[in-house]
Amino acid sequence: MAKIRVGFGYDVHQLVEGRKLWLGGISIENPKGLLGHSDADVLIHAICDALLGAANLRDIGYHFPDTATEYKNVDSKILLRRTTDLLHEAGWHIGNIDATICAEYPKLNPHIEKMKETLASLMEIEVSEVSLKATTTEKLGFTGREEGISTYAVALIEK
């Protein structure tokens, strides 16, 4: 009998001028990017936390601390690839990912398919196993004021 687990991840980063916007492993044209120790890809970070949590392997900050110089400005695709490796080493296979990006701007629907392809490749799963949605907060809160972007992610893993 297969063993399955579910994990939940959440991340948020502030939008600032002078940074590229990276979401789901792709660069998106925008006047502001996300501030963080790495490239601040909130989607990848939330997915990493969901995967690590499902496998009971702590969290992204434990494995890739923002105090470590080797992760300064690191491409978050590397973090997701290493997270996938950690799961495989522990005997887990990724079943599927479901994530929601909360951003008032830019409009993300034109980028969803490319993000899904990129993420699926990094996690070694089919594109059909990655569900991404984009929503706004109807101008409410820090997201609505375009001060930042947040992401929620759920992961199913199996052994």
Side-chain angles (χ1 to χ4, degrees):
M1 184 167 144
K3 184 174 193 171
I4 62 170
R5 289 188 182 169
V6 175
F8 173 76
Y10 172 77
D11 196 32
V12 61
H13 282 277
Q14 180 182 4
L15 281 164
V16 296
E17 292 184 17
R19 296 265 304 193
K20 277 187 148 185
L21 178 60
W22 288 94
L23 282 174
I26 68 169
S27 177
I28 297 174
E29 192 67 33
N30 197 50
K32 293 182 178 180
L34 294 168
L35 180 62
H37 185 71
S38 66
D39 64 9
D41 188 325
V42 292
L43 177 55
I44 286 183
H45 296 180
I47 290 171
C48 286
D49 267 347
L51 291 167
L52 292 166
N56 197 20
L57 293 174
R58 309 264 321 242
D59 60 37
I60 193 172
Y62 176 80
H63 292 279
F64 315 109
D66 64 6
T67 55
T69 55
E70 66 263 32
Y71 301 119
K72 180 71 176 161
N73 296 318
V74 71
D75 182 338
S76 290
K77 292 189 292 292
I78 294 168
L79 306 183
L80 182 55
R81 183 66 243 153
R82 289 187 185 164
T83 297
T84 300
D85 291 342
L86 286 170
L87 262 70
H88 291 168
E89 290 166 15
W92 294 101
H93 169 74
I94 300 167
N96 75 296
I97 300 294
D98 185 20
T100 302
I101 308 161
C102 302
E104 206 67 37
Y105 188 83
K107 295 302 178 194
L108 299 176
N109 281 328
H111 308 286
I112 295 290
E113 288 307 312
K114 181 66 175 165
M115 285 190 268
K116 288 174 61 171
E117 292 167 8
T118 301
L119 295 167
S121 174
L122 292 165
M123 294 183 283
E124 300 177 353
I125 60 177
E126 298 296 320
V127 174
S128 63
E129 295 168 336
V130 180
S131 171
L132 298 181
K133 289 116 31 223
T135 190
T136 69
T137 58
E138 301 296 330
K139 305 281 186 198
L140 298 174
F142 73 89
T143 304
R145 292 187 300 270
E146 298 179 31
E147 296 170 5
I149 295 176
S150 62
T151 303
Y152 301 87
V154 177
L156 176 78
I157 62 172
E158 52 195 343
K159 192 180 268 194

